[in-house]
Amino acid sequence: MGSRASTLLREEEIEEMKKETGFSHSQITRLYSRFTSLDKGENGTLSREDFQRIPELAINPLGDRIINAFFPEGEDQVNFRGFMRTLAHFRPIEDNEKNKDPTVSEPLNSRTNKLLFAFRLYDLDRDDKISRDELLQVLRMMVGVNISDEQLGSIADRTIQEADQNGDNSISFNEFIKVLEKVDVEQKMSIRFLH
Amino acid sequence: MPPRKKNDLSIKMADDDAKRRAGKRRAKPNQRARGRKAKQSEEEEDEEEEEDETPRRKVRSKKAKPQDSEDEEEEKGVKRKGTNAVGRKKKAAKEESEEESEEEVRGKKKKGGKVTSKDQKEEHNHEKKGTSKGKGGKDKGNDKHKDKDESPDEDDSEEEDSLSEGEMAALKEEVEEKKKMIATLRNKPWRLKRRLQNLKECQAFVEKFEGALGKGKGRKLYAYKVMMAKKMIKFHRDFDNFKTACIPWERKIKEVESHFGSSVASYFLFLRWMFGLNMVLFGFMFGLVVLPEVMMGLPYGSIPRKVVPTADQSTAMDYSVLLDFGGYFQYSVLFYGYYNDARTIGVFKFRLPLSYLLVGVGIFGYSLMVVIRMMARNSNEGGDGGDEGQFTFSFKMFTSWDYLIGNPETADNKFASVTTSFKESIVDEQENQKDENIHLRRFLRVLANFLILCCLGGSGFLIYYVVKQSQENAKKDENTLTWFEQNEVDVVMSLLGLVCPPLFETIAELEEYHPRDALKWQLGRIFALFLGNLYTFLFALFDEVNAKLEEEKAIKNATLWNRNEYYANYSSFYNTTDVPPLEIAPSDVTRGPCWETSVGVAFMKLTVNDIEVTYITILIGDFFRAVIVRFLNYCWCWDLEAGFPSYGEFDISGNVLGLIFNQGMIWMGAFFSPGLVGLNILRLISSMYFQCWAVMATNVPHERVFKASKSNNFYMGLLLMVLFLSLLPVIYIIMTMPPSFDCGPFSGREKMYDVIMETLAELPTFIGNIVGYATNPGLILSAVLLMVLAIYYLNVTSKNYENANLELRKKMQMARDEEKNRRNNKETTNQSQQYLEDLMPNRSLIPPPVVEEPPPGGRLDRPGDRLQGRGGAEGGADLPLDAK
């Protein structure tokens, strides 16, 4: 396994990934071994079924949406680069990253990018707006059949009413940011990757 | 490991690696990376990159320690290397792969670690900070070491060294710079705030890196400091976990909460709080009264009060007698009568009577303090929920799921709780949006209150009448009375308790309050009804006490007379004044009825009765009902589960009031029966388990699950009232009633509080003087006056703060609305410009605003209208917050 991890992962690739995602070398190799252990088909890519085997995702009502976030539009395989790119959203923000000068392009784990990731979970059709229907679908996933459609509808309406600021009956990304202004996203959307 | 193909570069890399590992153990990957980078980009290392490097270096440190042994092995390998360059390369490659595989194994082990909690993450960040500091120092030392070691492949190592040297130099320079900055900060023409901020930053930086750069002792000290910091953090985390694990029944309550909502959980939280309070009371009682008496007091059977009378001894162990707390129970530490009146006991001269009195009063003092402090804290907490009202549903929608849940059972609970919380919000929401016929509602509410007042008045009169009747009956001969006449009071009371609560509930439906408010009303009304219960009980008790007192007086006189007779007879018979004391076995001595013990027994019996009734009600009303509904449903005409009997709902108001009144009994009875508090502890524990089980197994969630108000202050208020009510009779008894002459710690004294006087008399005189002054009516009056003034003043200030708070909240709301308005109007206000933009083809991909046709005026109005409507709705949404 170990030999495979290092043979399949070329140093240049690791370098590029380090630059792109900010992970350290050992984190990348570690995650690579995780990646290969998830990869039951052993073809260097992960399919949706591979993700479904993770218990945390399997029982998560939004698990499907999270899994979707790993896959680029219209594909059902994700390679290690894509896998890392998605995971990079969850890298904790480190102290010395906070006060970097803004000219450098924002890293994947910035607050905005974290929020964007969360936003995409709800934005099913990727039109950069969360509409009422999309909210309803997500709600349905979250509460099952315990609450009537009518009530779910009113919840969705209220949610939009609360968050919507420009009156277009949907939640744009900016409005989404506004809603979660007080939530410590940097903290909550971070995973402690092992080094 | 199979031999592998590797391109030149990677072999070189491995080579580099091996060397580096030989020299310095930590920070391998980064160094490796850096080395290569250098080759490729010819030493272009600016500060920016250095900044980058540091965190990455931190990264290795965690693993570094356990690797030591492995490293040593490698070192040996490296020593051999000098002889055979080719072999060395191969070996190095091998080693690398080995290490890689080890890493992998370790990674696998730690996979579980990915599922970490938030605070762990946070903690980890701290940790990293710490390790990074240590890192720098080690690196440096290792670099030096390597300098001497490595002669072959000079170019590689040189590059490396210069790199890290450069890095070190830069770091040093920076530290120096910062130091200079600190020194010269005073002269900088900045504002104080900025200066302070700068100073802090610089100091932090210097602190962080200077230790790392230092040599020898400084570095060791530094490493030690870092290690200690890490240990501390770990300890804190463990301690926090431990603290959470120590909260009793947390899991049980959470489970109930997730299925039944916060309202049912609030009962269990209250129960747990009560348990805590009772544990403290038990500690007082047991530690200061019961234990000293058992350890140091006279043993059982030594004096009359400590032994079962001869007449009762044959039945003293009978089960039925013991069940009524007679026999051996009655003459044990459980009750007042057992305690001796000796002023001090044991070698420590423990003043038991004094301690008994102080604990009896102290229980009330402590309870009052705790209840009031709890209420104050609750009202604080209730106050600052201000801005949660803005995005209730959005928050629930976007943030309710806990993504770290990996256990299916937990997931089920979480599902349930998400659903419940949505339901709760829906109920709140419906209440707010109900557009109602205000006049009808008001009329109905007044009517309902009127009806309930009639009920309460009627039952009050009934109770009064029955009590009076029973007092008259008591004077008659017992044999002429019928069973009903004997038990009139009990029968009426239980009938009222059975009929009234459902009646109130039915009437309350007229009012259509929010369920939360309805619960409060219901609680208040039943509370009023129960007060009648209390009243009758106390009445009966005082009657009994008075009767006992009469009896006691008679016996006391008779005993004294008997003794005098004996002395007189003895001296006249033997014609001597040296009369030997009367020889009677302690159990044969005639003794008074000891009314305190009988009061204690009454409370004990009442409590046991209450426990039985509660448990049996749960067993029959909930459990059997559930069993019948569940299993008879297979063969019944209609759907039992959905139709008539259905499953029971958890009766919050009944249970809460039961708990409160039970506690009142404990408070009242504890003075007469020290064992009562212990019994109550058992009751609370068993009822926690039993009711948790019952509610999960047999009950269904309420039809309208509602969110309990954050503060339990209503419960607390009722509790405070009961506490006060139970305090009155006890204090009255202590201050006015004469204690029994032959039992209990105060026997032989005129009043119970004489114990205090005795103690004061023993103290030096000046203390007695001080107490004398302090009890001077003039002083007391002025103190009371002062307190009243203070209360008035504090009350006024708090009102003012409240108003200011309200004002601020309003302002915030307005500001928010305004902002919304402004945003919305942006599109419409600069219309002319928008028209122009519209004219241009392909202006943008965003579709033009929806409103287009209507004339400008109408257009201006529309969003405003909509906004106003929204604002109104939100204003409504904020209401429940205020209500809380």
Side-chain angles (χ1 to χ4, degrees):
Chain A
M1 285 279 270
S3 62
R4 243 187 70 216
S6 45
T7 41
L8 292 177
L9 210 58
R10 297 219 322 278
E11 289 294 336
E12 298 95 331
E13 283 180 337
I14 295 186
E15 275 308 308
E16 280 170 37
M17 270 183 244
K18 267 165 80 173
K19 271 191 192 136
E20 187 181 17
T21 62
F23 282 115
S24 73
H25 189 287
S26 61
Q27 277 175 328
I28 293 176
T29 45
R30 195 179 292 283
L31 285 169
Y32 188 69
S33 69
R34 173 71 170 149
F35 179 82
T36 43
S37 71
L38 281 176
D39 179 17
K40 295 286 185 235
E42 306 216 328
N43 50 5
T45 57
L46 294 185
S47 62
R48 279 166 211 274
E49 289 73 36
D50 289 330
F51 281 106
Q52 290 281 11
R53 270 183 225 112
I54 306 173
E56 279 81 6
L57 287 177
I59 58 173
N60 192 331
L62 295 176
D64 281 340
R65 300 293 312 148
I66 297 175
I67 293 171
N68 260 346
F70 278 92
F71 295 93
E73 190 81 56
E75 287 179 36
D76 55 355
Q77 296 285 317
V78 58
N79 61 12
F80 186 56
R81 287 291 284 275
F83 180 72
M84 290 301 282
R85 215 173 288 134
T86 313
L87 284 188
H89 288 107
F90 296 102
R91 203 165 58 85
I93 300 176
E94 281 158 18
D95 288 341
N96 49 358
E97 281 177 311
K98 271 178 190 161
N99 37 21
K100 252 187 187 174
D101 56 327
T103 51
V104 186
S105 70
E106 236 176 313
L108 281 170
N109 63 346
S110 71
R111 180 187 170 90
T112 322
N113 274 328
K114 279 179 194 290
L115 276 172
L116 190 62
F117 186 86
F119 182 76
R120 294 256 161 84
L121 292 183
Y122 296 92
D123 180 20
L124 303 176
D125 56 8
R126 304 200 180 193
D127 64 348
D128 289 331
K129 270 180 187 148
I130 302 178
S131 68
R132 184 175 183 274
D133 282 340
E134 285 163 348
L135 277 185
L136 268 182
Q137 279 192 42
V138 172
L139 272 174
R140 185 50 78 208
M141 291 182 207
M142 273 168 65
V143 301
V145 289
N146 290 321
I147 297 180
S148 71
D149 280 335
E150 191 191 342
Q151 283 176 325
L152 279 192
S154 65
I155 293 177
D157 285 339
R158 273 292 308 207
T159 311
I160 290 179
Q161 203 186 55
E162 278 170 3
D164 188 18
Q165 286 174 333
N166 56 10
D168 61 352
N169 271 332
S170 57
I171 302 173
S172 69
F173 183 49
N174 282 332
E175 287 159 356
F176 187 75
I177 290 181
K178 185 96 177 124
V179 169
L180 298 182
E181 205 170 30
K182 285 192 192 118
V183 180
D184 187 9
V185 175
E186 291 95 333
Q187 253 277 319
K188 292 193 170 158
M189 288 188 64
S190 292
I191 297 176
R192 190 171 70 111
F193 290 100
L194 291 177
H195 301 305
Chain B
M1 290 294 143
R4 293 157 297 158
K5 263 193 252 166
K6 273 209 166 195
N7 53 21
D8 268 354
L9 186 72
S10 64
I11 292 180
K12 245 189 180 171
M13 277 295 312
D15 191 7
D16 272 341
D17 250 331
K19 267 183 282 159
R20 204 161 301 121
R21 253 185 261 132
K24 54 175 178 177
R25 289 142 202 193
R26 328 278 136 100
K28 179 201 73 183
N30 318 298
Q31 291 287 3
R32 186 199 312 173
R34 207 184 300 140
R36 205 184 50 183
K37 222 185 275 163
K39 262 179 224 157
Q40 285 166 353
S41 56
E42 299 298 329
E43 289 197 48
E44 42 164 326
E45 278 261 64
D46 51 356
E47 280 197 11
E48 168 75 41
E49 283 215 31
E50 265 184 40
E51 286 273 319
D52 240 343
E53 240 25 277
T54 15
R56 273 179 222 168
R57 234 187 306 140
K58 297 170 195 171
V59 150
R60 283 299 289 170
S61 67
K62 250 200 129 182
K63 227 165 49 179
K65 273 166 199 159
Q67 248 177 345
D68 266 0
S69 62
E70 180 192 333
D71 285 341
E72 242 144 40
E73 246 179 61
E74 280 169 32
E75 218 160 356
K76 277 182 217 154
V78 172
K79 271 176 198 159
R80 265 181 275 129
K81 271 179 207 166
T83 52
N84 183 353
V86 187
R88 192 184 73 195
K89 275 184 187 174
K90 268 186 190 167
K91 173 123 196 177
K94 214 175 184 178
E95 264 171 14
E96 198 217 343
S97 64
E98 262 166 47
E99 168 151 353
E100 210 75 87
S101 72
E102 271 193 38
E103 245 179 66
E104 169 122 4
V105 172
R106 224 171 287 134
K108 282 208 156 171
K109 273 186 211 153
K110 287 187 184 171
K111 241 179 245 165
K114 276 184 193 172
V115 188
T116 51
S117 63
K118 259 183 287 157
D119 42 354
Q120 264 178 318
K121 264 181 251 156
E122 186 183 38
E123 185 266 347
H124 188 70
N125 284 344
H126 287 302
E127 210 171 271
K128 267 197 290 189
K129 256 186 246 161
T131 50
S132 79
K133 299 173 206 166
K135 201 71 231 175
K138 279 174 197 157
D139 267 356
K140 200 190 164 204
N142 289 331
D143 282 354
K144 290 264 152 77
H145 173 62
K146 189 173 53 182
D147 246 358
K148 294 169 209 157
D149 248 23
E150 306 227 338
S151 41
D153 284 337
E154 280 229 56
D155 46 341
D156 276 5
S157 63
E158 219 174 54
E159 258 173 29
E160 282 225 12
D161 260 0
S162 68
L163 274 181
S164 21
E165 285 284 286
E167 195 184 271
M168 294 326 290
L171 208 60
K172 254 183 187 167
E173 210 171 283
E174 203 163 343
V175 168
E176 284 305 315
E177 206 175 281
K178 298 268 175 185
K179 270 186 176 169
K180 215 184 271 171
M181 170 80 105
I182 293 174
T184 57
L185 198 68
R186 205 176 275 273
N187 309 328
K188 290 257 155 60
W190 293 337
R191 303 185 67 172
L192 190 63
K193 203 172 172 189
R194 193 178 156 194
R195 260 196 258 173
L196 270 177
Q197 195 187 344
N198 251 313
L199 182 67
K200 256 183 214 154
E201 268 172 20
C202 290
Q203 276 173 342
F205 188 87
V206 171
E207 169 111 353
K208 191 168 164 184
F209 289 106
E210 199 181 21
L213 289 170
K215 283 165 202 155
K217 212 172 163 190
R219 209 170 66 213
K220 259 185 198 159
L221 187 74
Y222 192 74
Y224 176 74
K225 254 161 84 183
V226 168
M227 197 185 72
M228 281 319 284
K230 260 159 85 179
K231 286 247 163 76
M232 272 311 283
I233 289 166
K234 187 167 174 348
F235 174 75
H236 275 296
R237 192 176 66 192
D238 287 349
F239 190 66
D240 279 348
N241 285 345
F242 176 72
K243 267 198 303 199
T244 329
C246 277
I247 302 175
W249 304 305
E250 184 73 1
R251 271 183 69 119
K252 269 187 181 314
I253 295 177
K254 279 268 176 275
E255 202 176 325
V256 169
E257 184 170 13
S258 65
H259 282 91
F260 290 85
S262 48
S263 51
V264 175
S266 74
Y267 164 72
F268 286 100
L269 288 176
F270 189 54
L271 182 62
R272 187 173 69 185
W273 185 83
M274 215 65 131
F275 172 74
L277 173 68
N278 275 286
M279 274 313 271
V280 177
L281 299 189
F282 178 70
F284 280 143
M285 224 9 158
F286 190 75
L288 293 177
V289 174
V290 178
L291 210 58
E293 175 69 32
V294 172
M295 305 282 288
M296 303 186 282
L298 292 169
Y300 175 83
S302 52
I303 47 172
R305 72 186 64 180
K306 293 197 179 195
V307 70
V308 180
T310 320
D312 297 342
Q313 250 166 12
S314 56
T315 58
M317 262 320 260
D318 285 6
Y319 187 64
S320 61
V321 176
L322 288 182
L323 212 58
D324 281 343
F325 292 96
Y328 284 111
F329 274 158
Q330 193 180 343
Y331 299 95
S332 71
V333 276
L334 292 182
F335 295 105
Y336 172 93
Y338 184 80
Y339 294 84
N340 197 1
D341 62 341
R343 193 172 289 176
T344 58
I345 56 171
V347 278
F348 301 115
K349 305 276 176 219
F350 187 77
R351 295 167 192 278
L352 188 77
L354 182 70
S355 158
Y356 196 104
L357 186 76
L358 290 185
V359 167
V361 178
I363 279 182
F364 286 108
Y366 177 77
S367 308
L368 267 177
M369 203 178 74
V370 168
V371 171
I372 289 177
R373 209 176 53 189
M374 194 69 189
M375 284 178 83
R377 193 189 301 161
N378 276 346
S379 59
N380 263 349
E381 266 174 26
D384 60 16
D387 24 76
E388 276 169 30
Q390 275 189 41
F391 299 116
T392 338
F393 279 95
S394 310
F395 266 41
K396 286 218 167 72
M397 181 96 200
F398 295 129
T399 61
S400 55
W401 186 261
D402 184 346
Y403 286 81
L404 294 176
I405 292 175
N407 173 5
E409 205 172 310
T410 323
D412 280 349
N413 273 347
K414 190 72 192 171
F415 256 116
S417 82
V418 169
T419 312
T420 324
S421 80
F422 267 120
K423 277 185 179 165
E424 287 175 351
S425 312
I426 290 173
V427 168
D428 280 350
E429 204 49 32
Q430 279 171 348
E431 284 306 310
N432 290 322
Q433 281 170 355
K434 215 187 320 183
D435 47 359
E436 41 188 329
N437 183 343
I438 265 207
H439 297 292
L440 180 65
R441 173 84 5 91
R442 267 186 202 153
F443 170 72
L444 282 178
R445 282 183 186 176
V446 168
L447 181 71
N449 274 319
F450 177 72
L451 285 178
I452 282 170
L453 269 185
C454 288
C455 283
L456 280 179
S459 42
F461 178 74
L462 194 63
I463 291 170
Y464 174 75
Y465 175 79
V466 171
V467 168
K468 219 166 181 198
Q469 183 103 0
S470 74
Q471 275 175 325
E472 274 167 28
N473 284 342
K475 284 172 198 157
K476 294 178 196 164
D477 183 19
E478 244 181 60
N479 296 327
T480 61
L481 296 175
T482 59
W483 178 85
F484 178 75
E485 277 173 324
Q486 276 179 2
N487 297 300
E488 214 170 13
V489 181
D490 291 339
V491 171
V492 168
M493 287 315 300
S494 23
L495 269 183
L496 281 180
L498 215 62
V499 171
C500 280
L503 189 69
F504 291 167
E505 209 161 324
T506 323
I507 296 176
E509 271 172 27
L510 282 179
E511 301 175 306
E512 289 192 37
Y513 277 120
H514 182 288
R516 186 167 48 229
D517 302 331
L519 176 68
K520 280 186 185 173
W521 281 98
Q522 176 80 352
L523 275 172
R525 285 160 184 166
I526 301 179
F527 184 80
L529 187 72
F530 276 15
L531 279 186
N533 219 332
L534 204 67
Y535 156 80
T536 54
F537 178 75
L538 284 182
F539 232 94
L541 211 65
F542 271 94
D543 278 353
E544 198 185 319
V545 167
N546 282 329
K548 285 259 163 80
L549 276 177
E550 297 285 315
E551 193 187 333
E552 191 185 82
K553 222 176 263 170
I555 291 179
K556 189 180 176 183
N557 288 339
T559 344
L560 285 180
W561 187 78
N562 273 344
R563 192 181 298 164
N564 288 341
E565 284 291 280
Y566 163 75
Y567 282 127
N569 285 343
Y570 191 91
S571 52
S572 62
F573 189 73
Y574 292 103
N575 204 6
T576 169
T577 49
D578 185 24
V579 184
L582 202 54
E583 283 290 332
I584 310 176
S587 57
D588 289 331
V589 174
T590 30
R591 53 180 93 175
C594 197
W595 60 268
E596 290 96 337
T597 295
S598 58
V599 169
V601 170
F603 276 111
M604 212 54 151
K605 275 201 271 192
L606 201 74
T607 308
V608 170
N609 238 358
D610 192 39
I611 298 173
E612 283 167 2
V613 169
T614 316
Y615 288 1
I616 289 174
T617 317
I618 290 175
L619 221 51
I620 294 178
D622 287 323
F623 183 63
F624 283 114
R625 178 169 163 193
V627 168
I628 288 171
V629 167
R630 174 79 179 75
F631 292 104
L632 273 189
N633 202 25
Y634 295 121
C635 48
W636 203 259
C637 325
W638 68 82
D639 189 0
L640 284 173
E641 283 181 344
F644 162 59
S646 174
Y647 295 107
E649 285 180 356
F650 186 75
D651 175 18
I652 303 174
S653 56
N655 277 302
V656 166
L657 282 179
L659 199 59
I660 288 175
F661 274 88
N662 169 60
Q663 190 61 38
M665 295 294 146
I666 304 301
W667 275 322
M668 266 195 272
F671 186 74
F672 305 104
S673 159
L676 194 58
V677 193
L679 181 76
N680 194 39
I681 295 275
L682 293 183
R683 177 214 162 103
L684 289 177
I685 293 177
S686 65
S687 109
M688 179 57 112
Y689 285 105
F690 186 54
Q691 288 195 304
C692 265
W693 165 79
V695 81
M696 289 301 288
T698 66
N699 287 1
V700 288
H702 288 247
E703 205 173 326
R704 299 175 72 195
V705 182
F706 60 91
K707 194 168 156 49
S709 55
K710 228 186 235 161
S711 58
N712 275 350
N713 262 2
F714 194 73
Y715 297 167
M716 288 293 166
L718 293 181
L719 192 67
L720 190 67
M721 206 144 98
V722 166
L723 175 57
F724 190 69
L725 287 177
S726 50
L727 181 132
L728 282 181
V730 175
I731 295 296
Y732 172 78
I733 284 173
I734 289 179
M735 296 312 274
T736 60
M737 293 272 199
S740 301
F741 76 101
D742 63 346
C743 71
F746 311 113
S747 59
R749 287 153 181 110
E750 204 55 22
K751 296 275 185 290
M752 290 182 183
Y753 64 82
D754 284 349
V755 185
I756 297 179
M757 300 297 154
E758 279 170 22
T759 318
L760 282 180
E762 282 175 30
L763 290 174
T765 39
F766 74 94
I767 295 183
N769 286 342
I770 293 175
V771 174
Y773 289 131
T775 49
N776 185 2
L779 214 63
I780 289 181
L781 260 186
S782 48
V784 167
L785 206 67
L786 198 70
M787 270 197 264
V788 169
L789 283 180
I791 289 173
Y792 177 74
Y793 170 74
L794 289 178
N795 206 14
V796 168
T797 6
S798 83
K799 276 263 165 58
N800 283 342
Y801 282 137
E802 209 168 284
N803 279 341
N805 225 338
L806 219 67
E807 206 65 27
L808 282 176
R809 200 179 285 178
K810 238 186 242 166
K811 261 184 199 158
M812 264 165 61
Q813 176 78 24
M814 260 162 61
R816 227 178 65 226
D817 285 353
E818 213 163 88
E819 197 184 346
K820 268 193 180 182
N821 267 327
R822 222 183 40 235
R823 277 174 203 244
N824 281 10
N825 290 343
K826 239 178 215 160
E827 288 173 2
T828 43
T829 37
N830 48 3
Q831 285 162 11
S832 48
Q833 203 180 344
Q834 230 171 28
Y835 273 129
L836 273 177
E837 279 176 3
D838 281 349
L839 283 177
M840 296 206 284
N842 295 335
R843 176 179 51 97
S844 72
L845 291 173
I846 307 163
V850 206
V851 268
E852 287 210 314
E853 281 85 15
R859 206 177 176 192
L860 259 175
D861 286 348
R862 260 175 79 187
D865 275 352
R866 192 164 45 202
L867 243 179
Q868 263 183 0
R870 198 183 303 145
E874 263 172 23
D878 283 345
L879 269 181
L881 254 169
D882 297 337
K884 270 182 231 160

